[in-house]
Amino acid sequence: MKLTVEEIVEAVNGEITPAGARFSAPAADAAAVFATGLSWDSRAVQPGDLYVALPGERVDGHDFAAAAVKAGAVAVLGTREVAVDVPVIVAADAMQAVADLAAYWRSRLKGTVIGLTGSTGKTTTKNLVRDVLSRAGTVVATKANQNNELGVPATLLSADEDTDFIVVEMGMRGLGQIEALCEVAHPDWGLVTNVGESHIELLGSRENIARAKAELLAALPEGGIAFVNAADELFDKLLVFSGLESRSVQVVFFDGGGFRRGALRAPAGEAGTKQVELGSESERPSGAGARSAPLRENLANLASVWAQNAVLDAEGCPSFDLCADGQSVKVKLALRGMHNVSNACSAAAVGLAAGLTLSQCAEALAAAQPEKGRQQVLHTAQGVTVVDDSYNANPDSMRASLSTFAALEVPGRHIAVLGDMGELGTFARECHERVGAMAGEAGLDLLICIGELSEHIALAATDAGMPDSAVRHLSSVDTAIKELKSLVEPGDAVLVKASHFMEFDRIVEGLVG
């Protein structure tokens, strides 16, 4: 982003407050002051930023404008005048002004904007796409999981006019929200990782979740590219709801999940690997797959990227053959879990569309590193392995995490610390019971549950066969930290996973720190 105050005023349909004695940069200088970044947090302002003063329930951003200017903000965007020595741009709605500004800047971007959404794996896949595309050109991608009505504009505004690729993660909690984000981002390409149960509280069914995710694909322009998970049970719904059958949008299918899911703890293979049987190529969904033959017949320019011969090593990191266009190349991921094979295939599909070779995609995937709080493997000084998956949780990611953890080879015990999952509404009890059943069948040595809803995990685990003595329901994170410190022994492995609001990162810090 590099915009003059004058351009910002035009973009947000605002006005500069009347120049007074206290302003050293009056309206007349609006064409000479450039903003090169955006921040709505005065503590995070960098020199050259436009500071956005957002009103809130507890605090008002206008009260921190002076601190933002002191930190280097060159202008302030808000809904009322503030006494600072930089131009103050007043708009009717600060949040809408941010969206309008991003849309204005989006019209200047020359690169390819890639929208990305899904029930699980969004942030990991976004990071993989970013790492792969960095082999093809300059890339800007969403920071952390800033995928909402502020994060999406911030991602666009962080790009330069000549940035080759802008990867925009998009979250949602209801119908119409991704559509609104697309009105700002105007994606050229769109990727949907999967359709799961995340946010089922507001949407009521997986079909409605598919309808919401399809808003990204519906927003693609003629000549755009849609990347769709052929192994997802509802991929055909995505095609129908987005109207891709009747539009000139190229559909690229990826499939990293065509393997048969057996027991969570698979038998050991050669050289300490865990073997996971894959379906044969004839069984693998090719393109739209046999389930949706009429859809496939109506889709032009069909391509396919898939994985086969996948195995997990002793730490749960997958190796597999990455296949496309009659070629294959070996890939070994530093990320843990068989579910990341699908994420890697989707990133490779994007890389191939950007002109990379299969080998270049594989090299980038192999170099990708896990992000903090997302199945990050840590080791304590006492010899305990801690799997930090504390950033977030939903039923699908719980299933994947338990499967990966069960396959982890350690000399000691497998201890899972699981907590509440949010945004499940009337499905909350059922979803927690399903997680408990999975935990009970995973071969865990000890299960510790924390939170009101997690009591259903504990009860379902015992119903699934875990001994009562191996299942504990604790009242708080602090209690769990104390108990774990007295319980764990050298050689043990501890999985830590719950929704973000449970603050399970404190458990990780208590064990590792």
Side-chain angles (χ1 to χ4, degrees), residues 312-359:
L312 295 176
D313 68 13
E315 288 216 341
C317 296
S319 299
F320 58 95
D321 295 328
L322 178 64
C323 308
D325 299 324
Q327 303 177 12
S328 68
V329 60
K330 293 284 185 182
V331 177
K332 171 72 164 65
L333 296 180
L335 309 182
R336 300 179 68 254
M338 195 60 73
H339 58 284
N340 277 316
V341 175
S342 179
N343 296 336
C345 286
S346 69
V350 175
L352 292 171
L356 294 175
T357 66
L358 200 61
S359 294

Side-chain angles (χ1 to χ4, degrees), residues 260-280:
R260 300 190 191 101
R261 293 180 175 85
L264 291 179
R265 194 185 291 254
E270 297 180 2
T273 60
K274 295 287 187 179
Q275 304 291 334
V276 179
E277 184 181 13
L278 292 176
S280 67

Side-chain angles (χ1 to χ4, degrees), residues 145-184:
N145 69 330
Q146 295 182 4
N147 56 25
N148 60 11
E149 62 272 26
L150 280 175
V152 167
T155 301
L156 295 166
L157 290 166
S158 66
D160 294 328
E161 286 188 68
D162 296 326
T163 299
D164 295 310
F165 302 100
I166 302 93
V167 185
V168 184
E169 181 180 333
M170 297 181 179
M172 66 89 194
R173 298 188 70 250
L175 290 168
Q177 293 182 355
I178 290 178
E179 180 182 9
L181 295 177
C182 288
E183 289 175 358
V184 176

